[in-house]
Amino acid sequence: LPALAFDRVTKRYGATIAVDSVSLEIARGSFVALVGTSGSGKSTLLKTLNRLVEPSEGHVTIDGTDVTAEPAPMLRRRIGYVFQNIGLFPHMTIAQNIAIGLKIAGRSDEAKVAELLDLVDLPRAIADRMPDALSGGQRQRVGIARALAPGAKLLLLDEAFGALDPVTRDALGTRIRALHDRLGLTTILVTHDMAEALLLADRVLVMKTGRIVADATPADLVAGK
Ligand code: ADP
Ligand code: ADP
């Protein structure tokens, strides 16, 4: 049973076909990059998983169950979703920001905050700091800690490193890949950066005008297969 399956998923916005009959299966534990130019439909396809987008046609299943089978808030607890410039609440400490993720899950164990900081390689000492005292890369890591707080095994990264400088971006990407391996996550990384995809993913899907036009390992893509 694949972790994720898209069955002839189409999404239209008026006359625009953002996603055009995509069928796709993604294995548990894989790190998949979804690459393509702006407007190719990457975000729209990704958001059908957490129901920020409802398909016009087709079905999306997670572990064999249709995503519409349970209320969206329950579904979203099981899915870590991180986008560009993820918002931290500026008037709350780092610990309080992460605790929001825990409260959503009905857990308010404070020790868990320290554990989550460890997870994303941030020093526990920053727990009492305010977001504006952190670098952009550190803030994105707090966002990832918050997204994974409820124990999500599925991680969706939508241009999550996009606002960072190249060095911070590479370092964060490598960390997230290590985290993926350590926690046995299933991860989808949406990016327009092919180099990032080749570096981090096991499988690269290329999207163009709403369709998947290539599906290969990084090694095969580099070899031009
Ligand atoms: P990508 O993530 O690859 O940049 P998107 O999925 O954001 O692409 O967008 C795919 C297409 O659908 C684009 O033409 C975009 O303008 C359009 N689109 C996306 N979201 C909406 C929306 N909420 N309303 C109307 N059109 C949208
Ligand atoms: P991205 O390519 O990273 O998705 P965009 O700037 O294309 O970023 O989209 C940002 C947000 O606006 C997304 O939530 C997308 O669904 C929405 N959006 C994109 N295109 C349109 C559009 N033509 N009309 C309305 N909303 C749109």
Side-chain angles (χ1 to χ4, degrees), residues 86-98 126-140 142-143 146:
I86 188 164
L88 300 182
F89 293 99
H91 58 287
M92 289 186 190
T93 66
I94 298 308
Q96 287 166 337
N97 266 285
I98 293 176
I126 70 157
D128 297 324
R129 298 218 194 128
M130 305 307 282
D132 67 5
L134 271 54
S135 71
Q138 288 175 326
R139 279 200 293 271
Q140 278 305 90
V142 173
R146 183 175 66 189

Side-chain angles (χ1 to χ4, degrees), residues 209-225:
T209 55
R211 289 180 169 268
I212 306 288
V213 295
D215 178 355
T217 63
D220 283 351
L221 273 180
V222 169
K225 282 182 202 165

Side-chain angles (χ1 to χ4, degrees), residues 13 16 18 37-44:
Y13 293 106
T16 304
T37 54
S38 183
S40 57
K42 308 181 295 296
S43 283
T44 302

Side-chain angles (χ1 to χ4, degrees), residues 15 23 31 37 67 77 92 100 123 126 148 190:
S23 293
F31 194 119
T37 54
V67 292
R77 272 175 224 170
M92 289 186 190
I100 287 173
I126 70 157
L148 293 175
V190 163

Side-chain angles (χ1 to χ4, degrees), residues 133-212:
L134 271 54
S135 71
Q138 288 175 326
R139 279 200 293 271
Q140 278 305 90
R141 276 191 268 163
V142 173
I144 290 164
R146 183 175 66 189
L148 293 175
K153 285 290 185 187
L154 174 57
L155 180 59
L156 308 181
L157 301 169
D158 193 349
E159 298 283 4
F161 316 138
L164 305 172
D165 67 82
V167 173
T168 306
R169 199 184 162 105
D170 281 0
L172 183 54
T174 306
R175 255 179 230 282
I176 297 312
R177 175 68 220 215
L179 183 67
H180 163 94
D181 293 337
R182 191 146 35 95
L183 297 181
L185 303 176
T186 302
T187 301
I188 304 183
L189 170 77
V190 163
T191 179
H192 60 270
D193 183 348
M194 181 58 97
E196 184 173 278
L198 293 174
L199 179 70
L200 299 176
D202 308 315
R203 179 180 177 193
V204 179
L205 302 169
V206 182
M207 262 191 111
K208 194 175 174 185
T209 55
R211 289 180 169 268
I212 306 288

